[in-house]
């Protein structure tokens, strides 16, 4: 969710499709939408391929294995985890780790993880779920303070003799037994 993005205010002449798009965009921006979608899609080949059969003329190729029930359970769990990420974003860590583990378990159980398709998708979706964090809108006062902190004109005032930077505000000019602890654990030896 981008805090600098303009807030959409519906005009009278907007089409209903535009309104649906903006509402969906606002909904999907507050949750790990893409991680949930990828995990949901990962469950489909894992659950489908053990029960699939391909017909080439009169020849039927069946990929059924003895682990059909196991792959169906893994596929259904992945679809459930994908939907859970959409509607309960607080369990994103659990869902991400569970989808990665289910993808790894599907490797020996379900025809090499749905011929690698479901395995790769569950790994990517699980990684996205673990990496997603909810956005926090920036306050107006915080934006002004960060702009002042980046001012490069202040570096000359902190510079010591011959352009060598001086000590930081938290560092002391002398060493004592408590210097490392007082400076937040930093050593002031150099």
């Amino acid at each position: 969710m981008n805090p600098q993005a303009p807030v959409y205010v519906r005009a009278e002449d907007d089409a209903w499709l535009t309104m649906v798009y903006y509402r969906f965009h606002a909904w999907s921006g507050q949750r790990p939408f893409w991680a949930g979608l990828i995990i949901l899609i990962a469950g489909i080949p894992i659950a489908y391929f053990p029960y699939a059969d391909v017909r080439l003329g009169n020849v039927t190729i069946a990929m059924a294995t003895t682990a059909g029930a196991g792959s169906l359970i893994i596929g259904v769990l992945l679809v459930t985890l994908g939907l859970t990420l959409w509607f309960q974003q607080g369990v994103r860590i659990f869902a991400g780790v569970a989808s990665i583990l289910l993808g790894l378990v599907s490797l020996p159980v379900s025809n090499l993880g749905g011929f690698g398709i479901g395995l790769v998708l569950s790994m990517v979706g699980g990684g996205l779920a673990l990496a997603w964090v909810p956005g926090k809108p920036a306050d107006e006062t915080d934006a002004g303070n960060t702009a002042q902190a980046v001012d490069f004109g202040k570096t000359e005032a902190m510079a010591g003799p011959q352009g060598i930077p001086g000590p930081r505000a938290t560092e002391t000019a002398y060493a004592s037994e408590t210097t490392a602890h007082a400076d937040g654990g930093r050593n002031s030896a150099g």
Side-chain angles (χ1 to χ4, degrees):
M1 188 166 145
N2 188 357
Q4 287 87 21
V7 177
Y8 175 71
V9 179
R10 185 169 190 261
E12 293 296 324
D13 59 346
D14 280 348
W16 67 272
L17 191 59
T18 305
M19 185 182 67
V20 169
Y21 169 76
Y22 281 115
R23 284 192 181 176
F24 173 74
H25 189 66
W27 176 82
S28 66
Q30 298 173 353
R31 59 199 77 245
F33 175 76
W34 294 108
L37 182 67
I38 291 172
I39 291 172
L40 190 137
I41 293 172
I44 295 170
I46 290 174
Y48 175 74
F49 285 134
Y51 295 102
D53 58 336
V54 178
R55 293 192 177 114
L56 299 172
N58 292 334
V59 178
T60 302
I61 301 171
M63 290 166 264
T65 61
T66 57
S71 62
L72 181 65
I73 290 171
I74 291 172
V76 167
L77 283 174
L78 284 172
V79 169
T80 304
L81 287 173
L83 291 172
T84 302
L85 281 172
W86 283 355
F87 299 109
Q88 295 291 328
Q89 56 269 24
V91 295
R92 65 178 176 83
I93 301 292
F94 169 75
V97 171
S99 68
I100 289 173
L101 291 176
L102 285 172
L104 289 174
V105 168
S106 74
L107 191 63
V109 171
S110 174
N111 293 334
L112 299 174
F115 297 114
I117 298 168
L119 172 70
V120 170
L121 288 175
S122 67
M123 295 293 162
V124 170
L128 284 174
L130 291 173
W132 184 84
V133 289
K136 296 179 183 173
D139 293 335
E140 295 294 327
T141 58
D142 290 342
N145 292 340
T146 57
Q148 292 174 357
V150 181
D151 186 17
F152 293 108
K154 293 182 180 181
T155 57
E156 295 173 3
M158 293 182 357
Q162 300 168 349
I164 299 172
R168 294 185 213 132
T170 58
E171 293 180 349
T172 58
Y174 57 90
S176 68
E177 292 181 31
T178 60
T179 303
H181 301 292
D183 291 338
R186 285 192 304 251
N187 189 353
S188 61

